[in-house]
């Protein structure tokens, strides 16, 4: 059912005039190359004329209901046709001159896209090269002419769109030419305006030059008037001087002279004033002429400016109008194109969704059929094996029954033969032993040799054991760790090299990640990290290391933090217990000296952690033995001077019992309190993942996130029933699943718990889950189970607290068998349980609400 099977690919010959390879022409040739190979004369389906598609004939008499095809639908169908590349499985269906690999269309993929192009062939037969006849039923057959006609319809649609595109492009070219011409016209107008502005500027410069000349003339006239006044003053001074020299003239002459002077002065003044007035009038007339000319030029320049402004406004309005029209046209075309694209995309998405849905449905049905077939086959195989084994056992039983007498005689003969062989062996052994005993006891030399050999063997064994013990003690004394050290991370060269290689391959966390999985209060984490960073920096600079004390309730992580502290700081750690010192008595001082000597041999430095330090570092004011007092003095001696070789960290639950000298040697004191609500949330999620989720392969709760993945369902019910198979994971309702909300409820309920108690809570939960998995034949961890375990642990925590405060007093409560049972609606009243001091413990009940 693939297109291309049995086709003969013939080369295309280019002859005749040269073709115009436009876009539509290229599309036509491309589609004809893909869909237009000639019908093969050797195709076994087209050997008779009745098998040839009637669309290739031009007889119109036998064609009815002729109408135009929907080219848009055909184009969408062509877009969704997938061209595949495949190999032929049979040599009968491909041309031997070409490769088995060729392009084609799969019929089952074409049927949902173009149903009319796919038909069903009831029967198909062919003979392979070996002469074997093969037959298949209901084979899908692709109608080649339908694809050819669809390709021609798509080409027609593309050709029509190409014509529209050509018209649009021509129209755009024409509009662009108009816009270019309009822009050229605007450019010429701008050049004219610039020329007019240049001429106006030249006229203004000429007027400014005239004004400058006028001002120069006025300045010259003022100079002439000033010179004339000076000349008149000089003349007047000479006349006065001459009049003063004539002292002997009479008064009349003086009066005449005085009148003459006055008349003369008046005449001179009139003459000077007339000349000045005439010159001033002439200058004023010239200035008025220049002002009139300037006003005329100004009016002319303003008119030109108004004309230029009007032309610019008109040109700008025209450009804005043309730009607005262009934008509207572009927006309209864009909107039309967008609508067409959206419609095409929606239709394409709908078609893809239908195809995907059908594909998923088919795959699901096929998978279900395969699973059912595999399960049925496996059940039949198991049943067949059982029947076969049953038949064999029945045959053996029947044969044994039929040959019971023969088998009995054979077994009796075998038993008799084994009995005779055993008696003969016992007799031979007894004779040999008797001969050895007789030989040894009859000859004293042999007896002495036997006794000496036995004594020598026993003495050699004892001597070798004592030498081995002595050698081990000497090696531990010189090379091994001291007896007080319970745990250390001191490693050899090859161990360090292996750890470095694992960190390089990222199979081990890198340095600096030691505290990533440690849950601490933010202030406590800040204090610990500050001290760790300071220790690391001091170690690198060979500075003295600080001693510290970790104190707080038991189970708060003091030992774990000390280990991570040493690894983070780059130090080796050695952990010892204070309770190990007292049993040593007189040897305690020697072992402490060995311990510090071993510490000083370290190249990296050692963090010496003493757990339960109050066991031998208690105050000397209390009653204590002489050996413990000497051990305390030894510790004070080794820690009295700051050292860059080791750091002392002591842990205690009773810091007030320590000796004052020991407290004086400690630089830091860090309190490890009980975890708060946020710390408890982190711890319950951490321990749930560690003890429940990871070992039992249940969904994890990581970093406060809800359950990220669903459990995998078993693929076969038969496999789950086989022995040794893992327990299946049972699906739970949503309100019974353990998630972040349930963990928050647990964190609120376990207020006052230490980290060790929280860890023991989840180990107890693990026990409950494993017990229920045996009963329910599946692994499940529900909220109800979690809340029941939490209730039990909370009750145990309360009883433990009461034990520590008020002690324990047992009170037995048993129901009298003679008394009748009290019933209430058919429910039996349970026996009363008594807690410490005879008070019934209130067992809290948890529900799903926070």
């Amino acid at each position: 059912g693939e297109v291309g099977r049995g086709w003969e690919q013939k080369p295309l010959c280019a002859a005749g005039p040269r073709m115009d390879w436009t876009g539509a022409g290229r599309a036509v040739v491309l589609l004809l190359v893909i869909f237009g190979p000639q019908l093969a004369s050797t195709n076994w389906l087209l050997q008779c004329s009745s098998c040839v598609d009637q669309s290739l004939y031009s007889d119109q008499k036998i064609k009815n209901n002729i109408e135009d095809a929907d080219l848009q639908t055909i184009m969408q169908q062509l877009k969704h046709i997938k061209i595949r590349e495949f190999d032929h499985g049979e040599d009968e269906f491909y041309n031997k001159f070409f490769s088995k690999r060729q392009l084609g269309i799969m019929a089952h993929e074409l049927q949902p896209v173009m149903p009319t192009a796919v038909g069903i062939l009831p029967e198909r037969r062919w003979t392979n090269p070996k002469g074997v006849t093969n037959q298949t039923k209901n084979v899908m057959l692709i109608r080649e002419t339908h694809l050819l006609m669809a390709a021609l319809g798509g080409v027609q649609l593309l050709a029509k769109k190409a014509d529209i595109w050509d018209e649009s492009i021509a129209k755009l070219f024409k509009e662009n030419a108009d816009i270019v011409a309009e822009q050229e016209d605007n450019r010429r107008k701008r050049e004219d305006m610039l020329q007019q502005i240049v001429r106006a500027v030249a006229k203004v410069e000429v007027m400014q030059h005239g004004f400058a000349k006028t001002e120069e003339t006025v300045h010259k006239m003022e100079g002439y008037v000033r010179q004339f006044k000076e000349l008149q003053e000089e003349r007047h001074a000479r006349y006065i001087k001459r009049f003063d020299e004539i002292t002997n003239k009479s008064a009349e002459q003086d009066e005449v002279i005085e009148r003459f002077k006055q008349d003369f002065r008046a005449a001179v003044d009139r003459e000077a004033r007339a000349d000045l007035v005439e010159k001033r009038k002439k200058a004023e007339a010239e200035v008025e002429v220049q002002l009139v000319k300037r006003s005329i030029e100004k009016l002319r320049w303003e008119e030109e400016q108004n004309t230029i402004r009007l032309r610019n406004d008109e040109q700008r309005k025209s450009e804005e109008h043309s730009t607005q029209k262009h934008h509207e046209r572009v927006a309209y075309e864009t909107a039309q194109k967008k609508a067409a694209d959206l419609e095409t995309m929606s239709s394409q998405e709908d078609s893809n969704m239908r195809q995907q849905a059908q594909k998923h449905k088919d795959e699901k049905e096929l998978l279900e059929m395969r699973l059912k077939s595999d399960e049925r086959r496996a059940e039949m195989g198991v049943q067949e094996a059982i029947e076969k084994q049953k038949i064999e056992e029945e045959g053996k039983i029947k044969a044994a029954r039929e040959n019971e007498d023969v088998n009995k005689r054979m077994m009796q003969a075998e038993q008799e033969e084994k009995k005779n062989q055993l008696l003969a062996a016992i007799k031979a052994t007894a004779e040999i032993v008797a001969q050895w005993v007789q030989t040894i006891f009859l000859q004293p030399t042999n007896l002495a040799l036997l006794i000496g050999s036995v004594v020598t063997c026993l003495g050699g064994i004892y001597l070798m054991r004592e030498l081995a013990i002595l050698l081990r003690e000497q090696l531990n004394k010189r090379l091994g760790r001291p007896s007080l050290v319970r745990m250390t991370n001191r490693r050899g060269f090859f161990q360090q090299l292996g750890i470095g290689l694992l960190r390089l391959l990222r199979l081990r966390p890198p340095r600096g990640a030691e505290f990533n999985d440690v849950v601490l209060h933010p202030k406590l984490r800040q204090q610990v990290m500050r001290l760790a960073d300071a220790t690391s920096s001091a170690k690198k600079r060979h500075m003295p290391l600080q001693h510290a004390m970790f104190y707080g309730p038991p189970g708060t992580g003091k030992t774990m933090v000390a280990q991570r502290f040493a690894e983070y700081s780059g130090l080796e750690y050695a952990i010892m217990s204070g309770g190990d010192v007292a049993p040593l008595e007189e040897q305690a001082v020697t072992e402490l000296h060995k311990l510090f000597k071993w510490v000083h041999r370290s190249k990296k430095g050692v963090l010496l952690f003493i757990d339960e330090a109050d066991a031998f570092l208690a105050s000397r004011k209390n009653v204590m033995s002489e050996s413990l007092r000497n051990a305390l003095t030894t510790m004070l001696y080794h820690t009295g001077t700051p050292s860059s070789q080791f750091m002392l960290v002591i842990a205690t639950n009773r810091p007030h019992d320590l000796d004052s000298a020991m407290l004086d040697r400690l630089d830091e004191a860090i309190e490890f309190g009980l975890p708060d609500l946020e710390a408890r949330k982190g711890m319950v999620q951490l321990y749930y993942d560690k003890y429940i989720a990871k070992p039992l392969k249940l969904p994890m709760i990581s970093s406060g996130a809800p359950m990220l993945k669903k459990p995998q369902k078993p693929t076969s019910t038969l496999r789950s029933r086989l022995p040794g198979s893992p327990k299946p994971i049972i699906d739970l309702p949503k309100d019974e699943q353990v998630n972040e909300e349930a963990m928050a409820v647990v964190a609120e309920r376990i207020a006052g718990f230490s980290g060790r108690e929280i860890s023991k809570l989840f180990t107890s939960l693990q026990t409950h889950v494993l017990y229920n998995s045996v009963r329910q034949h599946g692994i499940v961890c529900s909220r109800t189970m979690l809340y029941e375990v939490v209730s039990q642990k909370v009750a145990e925590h309360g009883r433990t607290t009461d034990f520590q405060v008020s002690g324990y007093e047992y009170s037995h409560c048993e129901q009298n068998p003679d008394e009748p049972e009290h019933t209430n609606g058919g429910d039996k009243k349970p026996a009363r349980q008594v807690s410490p001091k005879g008070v019934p413990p209130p067992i809290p009940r948890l529900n799903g609400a926070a």
Side-chain angles (χ1 to χ4, degrees):
E2 295 86 5
V3 173
R5 181 171 291 181
W7 286 4
E8 290 184 354
Q9 302 292 339
K10 296 185 177 181
L12 298 176
C13 299
R18 186 174 182 179
M19 298 178 64
D20 184 11
W21 292 95
T22 61
R26 293 177 182 176
V28 170
V29 172
L30 180 61
L31 290 174
L32 287 177
V33 168
I34 296 174
F35 296 104
Q38 296 181 359
L39 295 174
S41 61
T42 59
N43 195 329
W44 65 276
L45 291 174
L46 304 178
Q47 293 296 326
C48 61
S49 60
S50 61
C51 297
V52 180
D53 200 325
Q54 297 298 323
S55 62
L56 298 177
Y57 292 96
S58 61
D59 191 358
Q60 298 181 358
K61 296 179 181 180
I62 61 175
K63 298 178 180 178
N64 298 326
N65 299 326
I66 300 174
E67 59 184 8
D68 294 337
D70 189 359
L71 298 182
Q72 294 288 346
T73 304
I74 292 172
M75 194 64 184
Q76 294 298 327
Q77 291 175 350
L78 288 176
K79 288 181 181 179
H80 292 84
I81 293 176
K82 296 181 179 179
I83 306 299
R84 298 293 190 179
E85 186 177 2
F86 56 86
D87 294 331
H88 287 287
E90 296 290 342
D91 296 338
E92 186 69 17
F93 300 107
Y94 75 97
N95 198 327
K96 304 304 185 295
F97 295 102
F98 300 101
S99 172
K100 284 186 177 182
R101 194 75 175 171
Q102 81 166 52
L103 299 176
I105 300 174
M106 310 308 292
H108 65 277
E109 295 179 351
L110 180 63
Q111 187 178 15
V113 179
M114 194 179 292
T116 56
V118 180
I120 303 297
L121 188 65
E123 183 179 357
R124 178 184 183 187
R125 297 180 181 177
W126 74 92
T127 304
N128 58 13
K130 296 181 180 180
V132 179
T133 301
N134 297 321
Q135 178 181 356
T136 55
K137 300 289 188 178
N138 299 325
V139 180
M140 288 187 178
L141 180 65
I142 295 179
R143 195 175 186 181
E144 300 171 350
T145 54
H146 191 91
L147 292 179
L148 178 61
M149 297 305 168
L152 291 177
V155 170
Q156 289 181 359
L157 182 61
L158 290 176
K160 291 179 181 179
K161 290 185 178 180
D163 294 339
I164 297 174
W165 295 337
D166 292 339
E167 293 178 359
S168 301
I169 291 172
K171 188 176 180 181
L172 288 175
F173 283 160
K174 184 177 179 181
E175 291 178 354
N176 289 334
D178 295 339
I179 292 172
V180 170
E182 187 175 358
Q183 291 178 352
E184 187 67 23
D185 189 14
N186 293 334
R187 186 181 62 79
R188 288 195 299 269
K189 290 180 180 180
R190 286 195 295 270
E191 290 178 355
D192 296 339
M193 290 173 63
L194 289 174
Q195 292 179 1
Q196 292 177 2
I197 291 170
V198 170
R199 288 196 296 269
V201 171
K203 291 180 180 179
V204 171
E205 290 178 353
V206 171
M207 292 176 65
Q208 289 178 353
H209 184 66
F211 290 153
K213 287 186 176 181
T214 303
E215 290 177 356
E216 185 179 357
T217 305
V218 171
H219 286 303
K220 287 182 179 181
M221 290 179 64
E222 290 178 355
Y224 292 154
V225 172
R226 194 164 43 252
Q227 290 178 2
F228 181 73
K229 286 183 178 180
E230 291 176 356
L231 180 61
Q232 291 297 330
E233 288 176 357
E234 289 178 358
R235 290 178 181 178
H236 181 65
R238 286 197 302 269
Y239 289 150
I240 292 173
K241 186 177 180 181
R242 289 172 63 186
F243 289 148
D244 290 338
E245 290 176 354
I246 304 173
T247 58
N248 296 325
K249 291 182 178 180
S250 60
E252 293 179 359
Q253 290 178 351
D254 293 336
E255 292 178 0
V256 173
I257 292 170
E258 185 67 26
R259 285 196 299 269
F260 177 76
K261 287 180 180 180
Q262 293 178 355
D263 294 339
F264 181 76
R265 189 179 293 111
V268 171
D269 290 337
R270 284 195 299 270
E271 184 179 359
R273 191 179 297 112
D275 293 337
L276 291 172
V277 169
E278 185 178 358
K279 289 181 179 180
R280 188 180 296 111
K281 287 181 178 180
K282 186 176 181 181
E284 289 177 356
E286 291 179 357
V287 170
E288 289 179 358
V289 171
Q290 294 295 332
L291 290 174
V292 170
K293 289 181 180 181
R294 185 175 180 182
S295 63
I296 292 171
E297 291 294 336
K298 184 177 181 181
L299 290 174
R300 186 181 302 168
W301 182 78
E302 289 178 355
E303 290 295 332
E304 290 178 354
Q305 290 296 323
N306 291 332
T307 304
I308 293 170
R309 192 180 301 108
L310 291 175
R311 289 179 181 176
N312 292 335
D313 293 340
E314 184 179 358
Q315 183 179 359
R316 186 173 62 256
K317 289 179 180 179
S318 176
E319 291 178 354
E320 290 178 355
H321 181 70
S322 61
T323 305
Q324 183 179 1
K325 290 297 182 182
H326 177 68
H327 288 170
E328 291 177 355
R329 181 169 61 254
V330 172
Y332 176 76
E333 292 177 356
T334 305
Q336 292 295 327
K337 185 177 180 181
K338 185 177 181 181
D341 293 341
L342 289 175
E343 183 178 358
T344 304
M345 289 174 63
S346 61
S347 60
Q348 186 175 0
E349 289 178 358
D350 294 340
S351 178
N352 290 334
M353 292 296 291
R354 288 195 299 270
Q355 292 180 11
Q356 291 295 332
Q358 185 66 27
K359 183 178 179 181
H360 291 330
K361 184 179 179 182
D362 295 342
E363 291 179 353
K364 185 177 179 181
E365 292 177 355
L366 182 60
L367 183 59
E368 290 178 355
M369 292 175 63
R370 288 180 178 175
L371 292 176
K372 291 180 180 178
S373 176
D374 294 341
E375 186 175 357
R376 193 179 301 110
R377 192 181 299 110
E379 291 177 355
M380 291 175 63
V382 173
Q383 190 68 23
E384 182 180 356
I386 293 172
E387 293 293 336
K388 185 177 179 181
Q389 190 68 23
K390 185 177 180 182
I391 292 171
E392 291 179 357
E393 293 296 332
E394 289 178 354
K396 291 180 181 180
I397 293 171
K398 185 177 180 181
R401 287 177 181 177
E402 292 177 354
N403 302 323
E404 183 176 2
D405 298 337
V406 178
N407 293 334
K408 187 175 182 181
R409 288 194 298 271
M410 290 177 63
M411 290 175 64
Q412 290 177 354
E414 290 178 356
Q415 293 293 333
E416 189 68 26
E417 184 179 359
K418 289 181 180 179
K419 181 179 179 181
N420 295 331
Q421 291 178 357
L422 180 61
L423 291 175
I426 293 173
K427 185 177 180 181
T429 304
E431 291 177 353
I432 293 172
V433 171
Q435 186 179 0
W436 285 0
V437 170
Q438 185 178 4
T439 303
I440 293 172
F441 283 97
L442 291 178
Q443 297 181 5
T445 306
N446 294 337
L447 182 60
L449 183 62
L450 176 62
I451 295 173
S453 300
V454 172
V455 172
T456 303
C457 290
L458 294 177
I461 293 172
Y462 179 77
L463 181 62
M464 292 299 295
R465 191 190 68 170
E466 293 299 325
L467 288 176
I469 293 174
L470 180 61
L471 180 61
R472 184 182 64 184
E473 291 180 354
Q474 293 298 324
L475 289 176
N476 287 334
K477 186 183 296 184
R478 295 181 178 275
L479 302 177
R481 67 187 185 187
S483 60
L484 288 176
V485 177
R486 288 191 174 187
M487 184 186 300
T488 181
N489 67 338
R490 181 175 292 185
R491 305 179 182 93
F493 173 75
F494 294 103
Q495 291 178 336
Q496 294 180 359
L497 184 63
I499 292 174
L501 182 61
L502 291 177
R503 284 177 174 169
L504 183 62
L505 298 175
R506 296 189 177 182
L507 299 177
R508 188 184 179 99
R511 292 190 180 275
E514 287 79 9
F515 287 95
N516 289 350
D517 58 344
V518 178
V519 181
L520 295 173
H521 191 275
K523 292 183 179 179
L524 178 59
R525 176 181 286 273
Q526 181 181 2
Q527 191 174 4
V528 171
M529 295 304 295
R530 176 182 59 79
L531 183 59
D533 292 335
T535 304
S536 177
S537 179
K539 181 60 183 174
K540 293 178 181 178
R541 292 171 171 81
H542 302 285
M543 297 171 62
L545 301 179
Q546 296 181 345
H547 304 315
M549 177 178 67
F550 294 170
Y551 66 95
T556 52
K558 297 184 286 294
T559 305
M560 179 186 63
V561 171
Q563 295 176 359
R564 304 296 178 88
F565 184 96
E567 293 178 356
Y568 182 86
S569 304
L571 301 175
E572 297 175 351
Y573 65 83
I575 299 177
M576 62 170 287
S577 176
D580 294 339
V581 179
L584 296 176
E585 296 182 352
E586 291 81 2
Q587 296 295 325
V589 175
T590 304
E591 292 297 330
L592 286 175
H593 285 301
K594 291 180 182 179
L595 172 63
F596 282 99
K597 185 177 180 181
W598 177 80
V599 165
H600 283 282
R601 285 203 303 266
S602 175
K603 296 180 180 179
K604 293 184 178 181
V606 178
L607 184 144
L608 180 59
F609 181 76
I610 304 177
D611 196 8
E612 304 298 337
D614 53 292
F616 81 103
L617 298 180
S619 177
R620 286 171 286 186
K621 296 179 182 179
N622 301 328
V623 178
M624 60 190 309
S625 64
E626 187 67 23
S627 59
L628 286 181
R629 187 180 297 274
N630 294 335
L632 174 59
T633 305
T634 304
M635 284 294 299
L636 296 177
Y637 166 74
H638 285 287
T639 57
T641 304
S643 173
S644 62
Q645 188 62 27
F646 74 95
M647 174 182 181
L648 178 65
V649 177
I650 64 175
T652 179
N653 305 329
R654 304 172 61 86
H656 54 280
D657 290 344
L658 296 177
D659 190 76
S660 58
M662 195 68 227
L663 292 175
D664 184 64
R665 283 160 170 77
L666 299 176
D667 302 296
E668 293 282 345
I670 302 176
E671 181 181 9
F672 285 75
L674 295 175
D676 59 357
L677 179 59
E678 294 299 326
R680 292 197 300 274
K681 288 181 180 179
M683 286 183 180
V684 296
Q685 293 176 4
L686 177 66
Y687 287 126
Y688 179 84
D689 293 342
K690 181 178 180 181
Y691 294 115
I692 306 298
K694 289 182 180 179
L696 303 179
K697 297 181 180 180
L698 291 175
M700 298 176 61
I701 305 176
S702 299
S703 301
M707 310 180 79
L708 300 178
K709 59 181 181 180
K710 296 182 179 179
Q712 298 179 354
K713 297 181 179 180
T715 56
S716 175
T717 57
L718 179 63
R719 183 180 179 183
S720 62
R721 294 198 297 268
L722 295 177
S725 61
K727 299 291 184 181
I729 298 174
I730 300 176
D731 290 336
L732 294 174
K734 187 175 182 181
D735 56 347
E736 283 293 326
Q737 294 179 358
V738 179
N739 53 14
E740 184 181 0
E741 180 183 359
M743 289 300 170
V745 174
V746 172
E748 292 178 359
R749 294 295 302 171
I750 60 175
F753 275 46
S754 65
R756 185 181 293 115
E757 289 177 320
I758 296 174
S759 174
K760 291 190 294 184
L761 185 150
F762 281 95
T763 55
S764 177
L765 177 63
Q766 185 186 61
T767 304
H768 282 69
V769 172
L770 295 176
Y771 172 71
N772 288 332
S773 67
V774 177
R775 299 181 59 188
Q776 300 180 3
H777 303 287
I779 297 175
V780 60
C781 181
S782 61
R783 284 195 186 186
T784 304
M785 185 185 301
L786 174 63
Y787 292 162
E788 289 178 357
V789 175
V790 171
S791 300
Q792 295 176 5
K793 290 299 178 181
V794 170
E796 292 178 4
H797 179 76
R799 287 196 292 269
T800 304
T801 305
D802 293 339
F803 295 158
Q804 296 175 354
V805 174
S806 57
Y808 173 69
E809 181 180 351
Y810 176 74
S811 177
H812 182 68
C813 182
E814 184 177 358
Q815 185 178 2
N816 190 357
D818 297 334
E819 294 180 0
E821 295 182 354
H822 298 281
T823 59
N824 186 9
D827 296 337
K828 295 182 179 180
K829 185 176 181 181
R832 187 184 183 195
Q833 297 180 356
V834 180
S835 66
K837 296 297 181 181
V839 180
I843 300 178
R845 301 292 296 174
L846 294 178
N847 51 22

